[in-house]
């Protein structure tokens, strides 16, 4: 044997020995913090740990069931999936086992030692804001770690499907874990066994009655049967001889008896009339990993050209992943009760808050990823279910306005994405939309109500956009609309800047109050607002407008007299053609552009304002030339500040302001 061969053999032996001995790993920092919270339990309801472990086990079974569609050998000899729960009072343990896909050594380390997604940060942030953190577990992919709420130590024995190797993961939740090989004889033939060594204050979870109650409450409708294994003490029989004594002793040995406590039936296949509200809630909690009551439940079976069953829920609480950048839905696709995928776009992105299942009778079981994207049957299902969800929301809005308003307040900003993306259903979505307006007060208005109250000669639907409702209400650009009692939609969601550019409301275009000419002259002022002196004021201020325009140069695309101002001296608006000011601001934030980037604004001057009139009277005074120049720039910067921007030149602004104050005090 050569030296290189000896060296390679030595390295192999060393690697094998190292792999065979327990290897200690540190938890990811955020997982360590999470475990600290679990161990020092901050949750009022510890029962949820079992729901999380059962959900994980069911997922493992469902994923292997899917793989077996194209590779049936994976489950040869053990085709029936199940979850097994076993209590042991003497050993103070609870064991959760499944015959699902199982995990390799690397998968144990990756899945149980780190959380790759950003969910942990969101969980920890949400925990600081929540009164009771139980509603957050499961939402954030941290369900496994809830086992440490009831266990001093957790062991996970797992064998990946088709593998001859088995591994055991151990941790006490104190910052590290070990992984080492385990004798295959002591491991499941495939799948995972989670053994919880219960803490002294959690021994009730070793009682069958407790386990049955939790399964009945939280996991009765997982799509995999659940059995409970427990010891049964046989009755001792009297014996007359030595042989009989030995037989009686053997018969008195405790036996393990299994009984089914959940049959794995699919709730969505049952008739609605057979299902109780609490069963719907249990299933919703299991599939959504949330603890709120569903705001809307949609259960029906479509028959005809395509057959499929639908059981969907609209949450009453915002899911943590609602604004994930990928905007993926969370509805699970089944084909004849076989799980296919949970990342298929079964609904448009603006309905991604909906949770539930769709089970098709027509799709082939061996769907490839490419077929999922372009299958005509799936497209028909997507269209039919989307229309049904929107119609059910509309029905709720018509029959129970308060209940619907809660849904809108929670998910309205997401539904409005459809106004921009879904031309086909835009009218339906506009009918569902609710708006804050200058006349809504504490309530909300529909677009139909807004259109019914249009002023005479009003041909456009006015809107104002800002970062929040209070900021929009304070916009000086609203003053002329207030004066004419013209209602303005107050929009404060980022998506609003997009959909208003493409939508029509009952045949009328939307018009920003901060863009182009105000077009208010056609709407008459109330008699008490009319003033003959206004026309004279416009004539007097015209020369001032010319001077200000010359002074500002390229800083403003135009300077003009305003019909939209009533109380403020100045405001900024966008040019007639081009983006609205708020849309431009939004895009500059997204692209990281400086605040002043974009098209040059228009400065509008209020000819009725006392300050403007006073400045106009000083135009003929040569000694006031520098004063007028400073005032022109200060008016421009004042308009920028009112628009939420910084002065164009902070140092020059401070100098001009100081000179004006000195002159005023002289």
């Amino acid at each position: 044997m050569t030296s290189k061969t000896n060296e390679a053999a030595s390295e192999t032996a060393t690697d094998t020995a190292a792999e065979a001995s327990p290897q200690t790993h540190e938890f990811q920092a955020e997982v360590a913090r999470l475990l600290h919270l679990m161990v020092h339990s901050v949750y009022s309801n510890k029962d949820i740990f079992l729901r999380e472990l059962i959900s994980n086990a069911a997922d493992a079974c469902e994923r292997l069931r899917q793989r077996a569609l194209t590779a049936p050998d994976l489950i040869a000899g053990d085709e029936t999936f199940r979850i097994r729960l076993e209590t042991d009072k003497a050993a103070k343990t609870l064991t959760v086992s499944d015959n699902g896909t199982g995990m390799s050594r690397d998968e144990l380390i990756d899945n149980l030692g780190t959380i790759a997604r950003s969910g942990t940060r969101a969980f920890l942030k949400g925990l600081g804001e929540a009164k009771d953190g139980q509603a957050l577990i499961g939402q954030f992919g941290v369900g496994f770690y809830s086992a440490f709420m009831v266990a001093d130590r957790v062991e996970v024995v797992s064998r990946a499907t088709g593998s001859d190797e088995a591994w055991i993961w151990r941790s006490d939740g104190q910052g590290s874990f070990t992984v080492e090989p385990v004798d295959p004889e002591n491991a499941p033939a495939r799948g995972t066994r989670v053994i919880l060594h219960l803490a002294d204050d959690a021994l009730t979870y070793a009682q069958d009655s407790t386990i049955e109650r939790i399964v009945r409450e939280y996991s009765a409708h997982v799509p995999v049967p659940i059995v409970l294994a427990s010891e049964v003490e046989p009755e001792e029989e009297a014996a007359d001889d030595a042989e009989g004594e030995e037989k009686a002793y053997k018969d008195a040995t405790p036996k393990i008896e299994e009984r089914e406590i959940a049959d794995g039936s699919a709730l969505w296949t049952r008739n609605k009339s057979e299902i109780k509200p609490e069963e719907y809630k249990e299933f919703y909690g299991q599939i959504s990993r949330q603890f709120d009551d569903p705001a809307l439940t949609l259960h029906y079976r479509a028959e005809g050209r395509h057959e499929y069953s639908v059981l969907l829920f609209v949450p009453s609480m915002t899911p943590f992943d609602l604004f994930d950048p990928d905007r993926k839905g969370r509805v699970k696709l089944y084909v004849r009760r076989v799980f296919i995928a949970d990342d298929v776009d079964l609904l448009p992105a603006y309905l991604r808050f909906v949770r539930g299942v769709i089970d098709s009778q027509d799709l082939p079981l061996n769907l490839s990823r490419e077929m999922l994207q372009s299958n005509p049957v799936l497209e028909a299902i997507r269209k039919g279910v989307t229309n049904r969800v929107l119609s059910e929301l509309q029905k709720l809005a018509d029959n129970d306005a308060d209940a619907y308003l809660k849904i809108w307040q929670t998910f309205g900003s997401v539904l409005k994405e459809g106004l921009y993306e879904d031309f086909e259903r835009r009218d339906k979505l506009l009918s569902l939309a609710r708006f804050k307006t200058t006349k809504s007060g504490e309530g909300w208005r529909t677009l139909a109500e807004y259109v019914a109250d249009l002023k005479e000669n009003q041909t456009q639907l006015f809107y104002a956009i800002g970062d929040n409702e209070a900021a929009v209400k304070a916009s000086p650009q609203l003053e002329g609309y207030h004066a004419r009692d013209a209602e303005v939609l107050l929009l404060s969601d980022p998506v609003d800047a997009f959909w208003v550019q493409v939508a029509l409301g009952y045949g009328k275009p939307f018009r920003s109050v901060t863009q182009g000419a105000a077009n208010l002259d056609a709407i008459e002022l109330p008699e008490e607002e009319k003033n003959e002196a206004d026309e004279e004021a416009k004539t007097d201020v015209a020369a001032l407008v010319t001077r200000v325009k010359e002074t500002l140069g390229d800083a403003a695309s135009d300077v003009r007299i305003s019909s939209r101002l009533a109380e403020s001296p100045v405001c900024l608006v966008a040019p007639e053609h081009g983006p609205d000011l708020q849309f431009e601001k939004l895009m500059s934030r997204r692209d990281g552009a400086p605040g002043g980037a974009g098209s040059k604004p228009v400065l509008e001057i209020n000819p009725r304002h006392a300050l403007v009139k006073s400045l106009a009277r000083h135009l003929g005074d040569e000694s006031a030339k520098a004063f007028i120049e400073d005032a022109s720039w200060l008016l421009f910067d004042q308009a920028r500040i009112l628009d939420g921007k910084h002065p164009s030149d902070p140092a020059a602004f401070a100098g001009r302001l100081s000179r004006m104050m000195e002159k005023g005090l002289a």
Side-chain angles (χ1 to χ4, degrees), residues 192-449:
T192 301
R193 182 187 304 145
V194 180
I195 305 162
L196 309 185
H197 296 267
L198 299 170
D200 290 339
D201 62 353
L203 296 181
T204 182
Y205 295 109
Q207 298 177 4
D208 292 353
S209 59
T210 301
I211 300 305
E212 285 190 73
R213 174 184 60 78
I214 296 173
V215 170
R216 189 168 57 250
E217 183 175 353
Y218 293 117
S219 304
H221 301 292
V222 295
V224 180
I226 301 174
V227 298
L228 176 61
S230 52
E231 287 187 354
V232 176
E233 295 286 347
E235 295 182 4
E236 292 189 34
E237 297 179 358
D240 295 331
D241 51 29
E243 183 180 346
E245 287 180 9
E246 182 180 353
K247 180 178 183 296
Y249 174 78
K250 289 180 180 178
D251 289 346
T253 303
K255 296 181 179 179
I256 301 297
E257 182 180 274
E258 292 184 354
R259 54 195 172 89
E260 191 176 83
I261 57 176
D263 62 6
S265 64
L267 189 70
W268 60 86
T269 63
R270 291 167 53 189
N271 194 300
K272 287 174 62 174
S273 61
E274 302 173 358
I275 303 174
K276 299 176 181 178
E278 52 267 29
E279 291 182 284
Y280 278 127
K281 183 181 177 182
E282 289 169 14
F283 183 75
Y284 165 71
Q286 181 260 317
I287 202 164
S288 69
R289 304 287 184 95
Q290 297 194 177
F291 281 79
D292 56 322
D293 291 331
L296 179 65
T297 300
L298 177 58
H299 185 192
Y300 70 97
R301 179 177 178 82
E303 296 179 334
R305 185 176 180 184
H306 302 295
E307 292 188 16
Y308 54 91
S309 298
V310 176
L311 179 52
L312 300 177
F313 304 91
V314 175
S316 56
M317 184 177 71
T318 306
F320 84 99
D321 55 0
L322 185 63
F323 294 104
D324 275 2
D326 61 6
R327 301 168 70 225
K328 283 287 185 183
R330 297 293 183 267
V331 175
K332 295 187 176 183
L333 174 64
Y334 285 75
V335 173
R336 296 186 287 283
R337 288 195 57 193
V338 176
F339 173 73
I340 299 299
D342 57 5
D343 58 353
V344 182
D345 293 327
L346 295 171
L347 291 171
Y350 62 83
L351 291 176
R352 62 185 176 276
F353 53 85
V354 175
R355 299 293 190 262
V357 300
I358 297 175
D359 188 352
S360 170
Q361 298 299 309
D362 305 322
L363 287 168
L365 285 170
N366 57 342
L367 275 171
S368 67
R369 181 63 55 180
E370 293 73 22
M371 289 177 66
L372 283 173
Q373 300 302 323
S374 58
N375 186 279
V377 175
L378 199 60
E379 184 57 38
I381 292 174
R382 183 185 294 116
K383 182 176 182 179
V385 176
T386 299
N387 289 336
R388 184 65 179 265
V389 170
L390 294 183
S391 67
E392 289 295 320
L393 288 172
Q394 185 63 61
K395 189 184 301 182
L396 181 65
D398 295 339
N399 299 331
D400 191 341
D402 291 339
Y404 175 71
L405 185 57
K406 291 178 181 178
I407 293 178
W408 179 261
Q409 289 173 313
T410 307
F411 301 114
S413 60
V414 179
L415 277 167
K416 283 191 286 189
E417 293 174 10
L419 294 173
Y420 181 71
E421 298 172 341
D422 193 345
F423 173 80
E424 180 184 348
R425 301 180 182 89
R426 188 172 292 156
D427 289 342
K428 292 181 180 179
L429 290 165
L430 279 173
S431 180
L432 289 170
R434 298 294 182 267
F435 298 97
K436 287 289 186 180
T437 77
T438 50
K439 293 185 178 181
S440 64
E442 296 299 316
W444 295 74
R445 300 262 284 171
T446 67
L447 196 61
E449 291 169 334

Side-chain angles (χ1 to χ4, degrees), residues 440-583:
S440 64
E442 296 299 316
W444 295 74
R445 300 262 284 171
T446 67
L447 196 61
E449 291 169 334
Y450 176 96
V451 171
D453 290 344
L454 289 180
K455 306 302 290 185
E456 187 177 355
N457 299 324
Q458 182 180 343
T459 59
Q460 298 170 314
L461 311 183
F462 301 127
Y463 70 88
I465 296 180
D467 293 332
N468 54 69
E469 184 185 347
V472 180
K473 282 183 175 179
S475 300
Q477 292 93 338
L478 292 176
E479 294 170 359
Y481 300 86
H482 281 306
R484 291 165 175 79
D485 196 35
E487 189 172 12
V488 178
L489 303 173
L490 307 177
L491 308 178
S492 56
D493 292 317
V495 70
D496 290 327
F498 294 88
W499 69 262
V500 290
Q501 299 183 59
V502 295
L504 290 176
Y506 295 89
K508 298 183 184 298
F510 289 86
R511 178 71 177 188
S512 171
V513 302
T514 64
Q515 183 173 24
N519 294 333
L520 285 174
D521 292 338
I523 303 175
E524 283 197 35
L525 279 165
E527 289 298 326
E528 61 271 17
E529 296 287 343
K530 292 180 179 179
N531 190 337
E532 293 182 3
D534 285 352
E535 292 304 319
E536 297 178 12
K538 290 182 181 180
T539 303
D540 294 339
V541 172
L544 176 65
V545 169
T546 302
R547 176 69 67 85
V548 173
K549 186 173 182 178
E550 292 173 354
T551 301
L552 297 181
D554 293 337
S557 63
D558 194 12
V559 180
R560 65 186 178 214
I561 290 175
S562 178
S563 61
R564 78 183 85 217
L565 290 173
E567 299 174 3
S568 301
V570 289
C571 72
L572 293 180
V573 297
E576 185 72 33
H577 304 288
D580 170 80
L581 287 182
Q582 292 300 323
F583 179 77

Side-chain angles (χ1 to χ4, degrees), residues 52-70:
E52 296 305 314
L53 296 182
I54 289 175
S55 292
N56 290 345
D59 286 345
C61 291
E62 291 290 85
R63 293 184 187 285
L64 181 56
R65 196 200 309 264
Q66 181 192 24
R67 290 174 58 194
L69 295 175
T70 54

